[in-house]
Amino acid sequence: MNIALHHFRLVDTISKEGSLTKAASALHLTQSALSHQLKELEKELDIEVFHRQGKKLQLTEVGYRFLRSSEKILAEIRTLQEDINNYKNGKTGQLNISMQCYTAYHWLPGVIKDFKSQWPDININIVSDASRRPLEYLMRGDLDLGIVRTQMVNTQIVYEPIFEDQLVAILPADHPLAKKAVIDICDFQNQELILALYDPSYQETPVIETLIQEQHVKPKTLNRIHYTDATIEMVNAGLGISVMADWIVKPYLPGKHIVTKPLHHSIAKRTWYAATCKDTPVIQNFLACLKNHFCKTELLCNDVEEVAAYPELRAI
């Protein structure tokens, strides 16, 4: 049978309206055009769908059967249309995200919670396996958004700045270097140094290691540990010193026998970016939540610094 969607709408509308005149008006057709479509359907089925009783139409037995199918099909079409519109408007769907740093996940739940409060039907999938090579996953289509500090030169990838961080030295509280106000690269000479594991085939050499090599500094030992927790515990036990981003180490400071010290001002801040290859409402909405999160964090940090500088503000 060569039956089109407009045939199902036709039977459904005539049944509801009760006459060709009213049905034609509801479908925005002329009465002759509607009559032509009905004759076309009945010719295709080789049976009457309606009994003609003057200006009124009454469904035949086959017509009732056709109407039942029409109602199911049209309801499914309406649901499909609504689902498509919700997807296009960023109300439903899935968002695959990853970070170029395992430790970044401690603040991510707050961003997701804010996002889900506004778009509860979006499923957010954290692709933890992509943490080491997020840009490759992004290019393959396995990621929708990656938060990275390393950029790959590729015109398909769009990078949007999200936040900045600053590297700090992490030392046991009783370490001789803990007395210094600022740590220089040369201070790592003959020290037991613990640094993060990295993949030299994927990203540039970390800035600290580059500076150590350039300044011909030779640590006593250099251990590479993948997990932040393990590095913190090693430093806490007095087994070495390390370098991390300020925001990474901050949650670990309470209750630990460790201190952080700023590095020399020549070591610039690092910028983290949201990397995307697609531009969809879901991605843009998540980006907005990311920016809002770090904007509020920056304002809070500024307030804390202001109170520290002006103690009288504590009383306000």
Side-chain angles (χ1 to χ4, degrees):
M1 291 188 297
N2 185 20
I3 300 174
L5 183 59
H6 69 269
H7 290 134
F8 292 108
R9 288 200 178 100
L10 175 75
V11 173
D12 182 71
T13 306
I14 294 175
S15 174
K16 289 177 180 176
E17 299 297 335
S19 71
L20 290 179
T21 303
K22 291 181 180 179
S25 177
L27 292 171
H28 306 290
L29 296 172
T30 63
Q31 189 168 334
S32 60
L34 187 142
S35 296
H36 175 74
Q37 289 185 11
L38 179 57
K39 289 178 182 178
E40 179 184 71
L41 173 62
E42 291 182 325
K43 181 179 179 181
E44 181 64 33
L45 296 175
D46 193 27
I47 195 170
E48 283 190 340
V49 176
F50 288 96
H51 291 305
R52 278 71 171 174
Q53 297 176 343
K55 292 185 178 181
K56 292 186 178 182
L57 299 176
Q58 184 69 38
L59 284 166
T60 63
E61 185 176 345
V62 170
Y64 276 113
R65 176 64 185 84
F66 195 92
L67 177 63
R68 289 197 299 274
S69 293
S70 298
E71 290 171 341
K72 292 177 182 177
I73 291 169
L74 294 175
E76 183 61 29
I77 292 293
R78 284 191 293 270
T79 300
L80 174 62
Q81 179 118 39
E82 185 178 351
D83 289 346
I84 291 173
N85 288 337
N86 286 337
Y87 181 83
K88 288 166 62 177
N89 294 329
K91 294 181 179 179
T92 59
Q94 177 164 300
L95 184 68
N96 297 317
I97 63 176
S98 190
M99 326 286 293
Q100 196 181 353
C101 176
Y102 284 103
T103 316
Y105 292 114
H106 78 263
W107 53 258
L108 186 58
V111 177
I112 294 176
K113 184 176 180 180
D114 180 34
F115 180 85
K116 294 287 281 184
S117 69
Q118 301 176 69
W119 296 280
D121 294 325
I122 299 294
N123 178 39
I124 295 184
N125 179 36
I126 299 174
V127 188
S128 57
D129 289 346
S131 291
R132 289 191 179 183
R133 295 175 175 268
L135 295 178
E136 291 185 10
Y137 277 69
L138 191 68
M139 291 296 298
R140 292 205 306 260
D142 296 328
L143 273 188
D144 298 307
L145 183 147
I147 296 179
V148 302
R149 65 176 182 273
T150 302
Q151 295 189 49
M152 176 191 295
V153 180
N154 190 302
T155 56
Q156 296 181 44
I157 304 177
V158 176
Y159 297 95
E160 189 154 355
I162 298 298
F163 68 94
E164 289 184 336
D165 66 10
Q166 183 74 61
L167 293 173
V168 294
I170 306 155
L171 314 112
D174 56 0
H175 194 283
L177 289 176
K179 297 177 182 179
K180 293 194 65 175
V182 176
I183 303 297
D184 294 302
I185 295 299
C186 62
D187 291 324
F188 296 134
Q189 178 73 27
N190 205 35
Q191 296 292 332
E192 294 176 316
L193 191 57
I194 305 169
L195 296 178
L197 191 67
Y198 78 99
D199 184 353
S201 69
Y202 176 64
Q203 62 183 30
E204 75 280 2
T205 303
V207 61
I208 293 299
E209 299 198 41
T210 299
L211 292 172
I212 286 175
Q213 293 169 12
E214 290 176 351
Q215 297 183 30
H216 306 290
V217 172
K218 295 183 178 180
K220 182 178 180 180
T221 59
L222 175 54
N223 293 315
R224 299 187 187 279
I225 298 180
H226 185 62
Y227 296 105
T228 302
D229 299 46
T231 299
I232 294 292
E233 292 303 327
M234 292 282 285
V235 174
N236 190 60
L239 298 176
I241 63 177
S242 186
V243 175
M244 291 184 187
D246 47 7
W247 60 273
I248 291 179
V249 70
K250 185 178 178 180
Y252 295 94
L253 292 177
K256 297 293 184 183
H257 188 63
I258 58 177
V259 294
T260 62
K261 293 291 177 175
L263 297 174
H264 191 270
H265 64 81
S266 61
I267 301 175
K269 289 185 175 182
R270 305 181 305 175
T271 301
W272 288 76
Y273 303 88
T276 58
C277 286
K278 298 179 288 186
D279 184 12
T280 67
V282 174
I283 291 174
Q284 290 304 317
N285 290 339
F286 192 79
L287 272 173
C289 286
L290 270 176
K291 292 177 181 177
N292 183 58
H293 172 84
F294 287 105
C295 180
K296 288 190 294 187
T297 301
E298 183 178 352
L299 288 174
L300 180 59
C301 289
N302 290 339
D303 289 344
V304 170
E305 290 173 2
E306 188 173 358
V307 169
Y310 301 97
E312 63 272 15
L313 291 177
R314 294 192 181 97
I316 297 177

